[in-house]
Amino acid sequence: MTDKYLIFGAPDIRQAEIDEVVDSLHRGWLGTGPKVARFEREFASYKGVDEHFVAAVNSCTAALHLSMIAAGIQPGDEVITTAMTFCATVNAIIHAGGTPVLADIDPYTWNIDPADIERRITPRTRAILPVHFAGRPCDMHAIMDIARRHNLKVIEDCAHAIESEYKGQKTGTFGDFGCFSFYVTKNVATGEGGMVIAKREEDIARIKTLALHGMSKDAWRRFSDSGYKHYQVVECGFKYNMMDLQAALGIHQLARVEENWLKRQAIWNRYQQAFANLPVTRPQEPEPDTRHAYHLYTLLIDEERSGISRDGFLQRMHERGIGTGVHYLSIAEHPYYQQRYGWRPEQWPNAMLVGRETVSLPLSAKLETTLTNQVILEVLAAFLKL
Ligand SMILES: *Cc1c(COP(=O)(O)O)cnc(C)c1O
């Protein structure tokens, strides 16, 4: 039907991004420099926080890892996160030396269930790592209340949730840390890229040091024109800094974040209406007094009820030239975690079920009306067996 394959999560790159990258190339300043500083300022302003409380890094995975370290996670410490997330969330806990403890999701919102967090708290629990899944904000009042009562750190995985708000407060500003992704498929794309927001300025200072080999703060200005400065290594750090080439994309992507949000909201709403009578489970409408980031539009396909299996549907859409995604198989489906922690998917039944039935449809700001119509027609055809 389509002469071109519709790639899932294709970024919307415009001339402004291209010109900004070319400008960096002409100037010869490719690495961390003025454009990263500007992107940090503008991101902080978008999230309504002071620029001294953010740090750009080269991925959300790096942001999560550094936040774990800055939160003081030590070997033996337990961190509670959701069974329905990308592997990077769990890996960040493990890389910091912590022990991941999974909580199940709420069967309707698909976000971490605060009651299950509470059940899994032990004397070794140190932190909670909620994920605002698909862009729907978690129940942050309940989660922050649990954290206060048990003296736990909170690290928000906001990879899907740049634009999200919960009861008038922006996601990433509830916890001690908020971690954002600018990966190709995310709502703001720099190719690879990430950002941390922290509650305390000293935590951001430590994260900036850790992101650049553990070199003292002035090292970020080492190559400026104010003369050579010796640097001191004060910790064993990492190579997690963002490049100006990435920030060049981010500056212009961020400038269109609201425009793109409106476009994705319109597509999300069209899907909701178009699929109302299909034998599938659609996402819940956003809760009152919250803002959904519309990062993913996912359906649940139950073979018995839908007449087609999830994987059969994925294959059919692929054959019709439409790229789809699976977000995600539940964490306990993966052999590494099964072998290391003895986990079985059945221990988190809600996450297991969603992981086995979920499919994400294209939801890019780039998706024009005709393409959205084609996706809708192909989805309808798959269930009406046309
Ligand atoms: C994409 C994603 C990440 C990792 O982001 P990167 O920037 O690719 O490292 C982490 N958590 C979730 C929920 C994600 O979707």
Side-chain angles (χ1 to χ4, degrees):
M1 50 159 278
T2 39
D3 42 1
K4 274 200 290 177
Y5 196 84
L6 177 56
I7 296 167
F8 181 85
D12 175 40
I13 301 295
R14 304 266 180 93
Q15 195 59 41
E17 281 94 315
I18 294 170
D19 292 344
E20 196 74 44
V21 169
V22 170
D23 176 71
S24 288
L25 296 174
H26 283 310
R27 287 173 195 270
W29 199 320
L30 312 183
T32 306
K35 287 183 188 176
V36 170
R38 177 177 161 199
F39 186 42
E40 285 176 336
R41 276 197 306 277
E42 291 176 1
F43 189 82
S45 153
Y46 178 72
K47 295 301 290 187
V49 301
D50 185 275
E51 61 178 284
H52 297 107
F53 294 79
V54 306
V57 288
N58 62 9
S59 70
C60 182
T61 305
L64 289 165
H65 184 197
L66 296 181
S67 296
M68 286 294 132
I69 297 172
I73 298 306
Q74 306 275 339
D77 290 350
E78 293 176 357
V79 179
I80 300 177
T81 192
T82 167
M84 172 49 60
T85 184
F86 187 53
C87 57
T89 315
V90 177
N91 292 349
I93 299 168
I94 300 171
H95 284 313
T99 303
V101 172
L102 302 182
D104 207 355
I105 54 172
D106 178 286
Y108 301 104
T109 66
W110 308 334
N111 269 329
I112 193 166
D113 175 4
D116 204 41
I117 295 177
E118 192 113 37
R119 279 194 285 275
R120 293 177 192 270
I121 288 175
T122 75
R124 290 185 301 279
T125 308
R126 292 287 170 272
I128 308 172
L129 204 178
V131 178
H132 304 291
F133 183 78
R136 179 187 304 275
C138 293
D139 186 349
M140 287 314 292
H141 285 173
I143 291 171
M144 294 312 293
D145 179 56
I146 295 170
R148 260 188 300 274
R149 282 190 281 110
H150 297 272
N151 193 26
L152 307 175
K153 298 274 186 185
V154 173
I155 300 96
E156 299 175 66
D157 182 334
C158 303
H160 300 177
I162 293 172
E163 306 92 334
S164 309
E165 293 176 16
Y166 179 78
K167 316 274 181 201
Q169 187 174 341
K170 293 176 197 296
T171 48
T173 68
F174 288 89
D176 299 275
F177 301 91
C179 301
F180 296 83
S181 175
F182 310 123
Y183 178 66
V184 193
T185 57
K186 301 288 158 73
N187 293 354
V188 166
T190 64
E192 302 287 357
M195 191 80 76
V196 188
I197 296 181
K199 269 250 159 64
R200 281 166 296 273
E201 204 171 348
E202 63 266 29
D203 285 339
I204 277 297
R206 174 130 194 254
I207 281 174
K208 287 202 164 194
T209 299
L210 284 169
L212 198 64
H213 307 296
M215 298 193 312
S216 58
K217 205 167 146 218
D218 282 343
W220 288 72
R221 291 191 283 274
R222 187 157 50 113
F223 303 111
S224 73
D225 46 17
S226 57
Y228 190 85
K229 285 207 177 63
H230 289 286
Y231 61 84
Q232 292 184 308
V233 176
V234 294
E235 286 206 69
C236 180
F238 304 88
K239 192 71 206 303
Y240 282 166
N241 55 306
M242 178 183 276
M243 300 171 75
D244 262 26
L245 283 179
Q246 296 165 305
L249 296 168
I251 288 163
H252 297 284
Q253 287 272 300
L254 186 63
R256 293 202 310 278
V257 66
E258 288 297 306
E259 189 186 313
N260 288 344
W261 178 84
L262 283 170
K263 288 181 184 169
R264 291 195 315 277
Q265 182 190 43
I267 298 167
W268 204 96
N269 286 333
R270 285 206 58 212
Y271 285 159
Q272 269 308 66
Q273 282 172 13
F275 307 142
N277 296 316
L278 288 184
V280 296
T281 303
R282 294 171 302 149
Q284 298 283 306
E285 288 296 321
E287 285 96 272
D289 203 13
T290 68
R291 188 179 202 223
H292 197 300
Y294 304 114
H295 174 60
L296 297 173
Y297 184 88
T298 64
L299 295 174
L300 300 188
I301 300 176
D302 166 15
E303 185 165 8
E304 238 168 70
R305 178 176 162 219
S306 310
I308 182 171
S309 72
R310 189 270 307 274
D311 288 355
F313 178 81
L314 292 174
Q315 181 59 27
R316 183 181 162 122
M317 294 299 274
H318 170 67
E319 283 161 8
R320 308 291 166 111
I322 295 171
T324 53
V326 173
H327 303 89
Y328 303 92
L329 288 181
S330 75
I331 288 295
E333 298 275 8
H334 297 288
Y336 177 78
Y337 310 111
Q338 292 177 354
Q339 283 152 24
R340 179 156 178 181
Y341 300 107
W343 292 343
R344 287 169 293 103
E346 291 76 12
Q347 292 173 267
W348 298 273
N350 296 335
M352 178 184 78
L353 202 76
V354 169
R356 291 180 180 180
E357 297 185 351
T358 189
V359 57
S360 305
L361 299 180
L363 184 65
S364 160
K366 223 171 118 172
L367 211 62
E368 285 143 13
T369 310
T370 48
L371 279 175
T372 310
N373 290 340
Q374 283 175 347
V375 174
I376 289 172
L377 287 176
E378 284 300 342
V379 172
L380 295 177
F383 293 102
L384 303 172
K385 311 232 171 43
L386 300 173

